[in-house]
Amino acid sequence: IDVEKVRTDIDYQTLARRFFSTAEYEALQDCSEQSQLQAFFATWTRKEAIVKAHGKGIALGLKQFDVSVDPYQPPRLLVTRWEDERMADWTLMNIDSAPGYFASMATSGGEISLRYRDLP
């Protein structure tokens, strides 16, 4: 799982150019200017959730796979540059979170089921 607060005080374009794959960066540039910040954080949380679930963390390298960028569509793992035959085993999903946050969950080899409940 990765959760990030949407911050406007960062240079997300430079971060995306450095850490996103070429395809992800180009997809980000194709987003409207109004949705680019949201797309950046959606992509970032998706990538972070995958590297955590993979087990190698950031050492895996964020450019070793591509995820969908559109923050308003269900997330998908599009390409891996490791064990391609196992790509279908990965599940990636958005997690409903508080306003101003993005959250994603990833798992390999199983379905994800979330239940939300109100706490007292």
Side-chain angles (χ1 to χ4, degrees), residues 44-110:
W44 187 268
T45 60
R46 293 167 184 176
K47 293 180 83 64
E48 285 283 329
I50 288 175
V51 298
K52 290 174 182 178
H54 188 279
K56 289 188 177 179
I58 202 81
L60 174 65
L62 294 177
K63 291 186 179 186
Q64 293 302 307
F65 57 95
D66 297 0
V67 297
S68 57
V69 171
D70 189 331
Y72 309 110
Q73 296 296 318
R76 294 179 299 135
L77 176 60
L78 303 173
V79 174
T80 66
R81 293 169 189 84
W82 80 88
E83 302 175 34
D84 257 350
E85 68 276 359
R86 292 193 52 228
M87 194 171 95
D89 293 342
W90 284 87
T91 302
L92 183 61
M93 71 181 296
N94 295 327
I95 300 173
D96 290 335
S97 56
Y101 288 82
F102 267 95
S104 297
M105 177 184 271
T107 186
S108 174

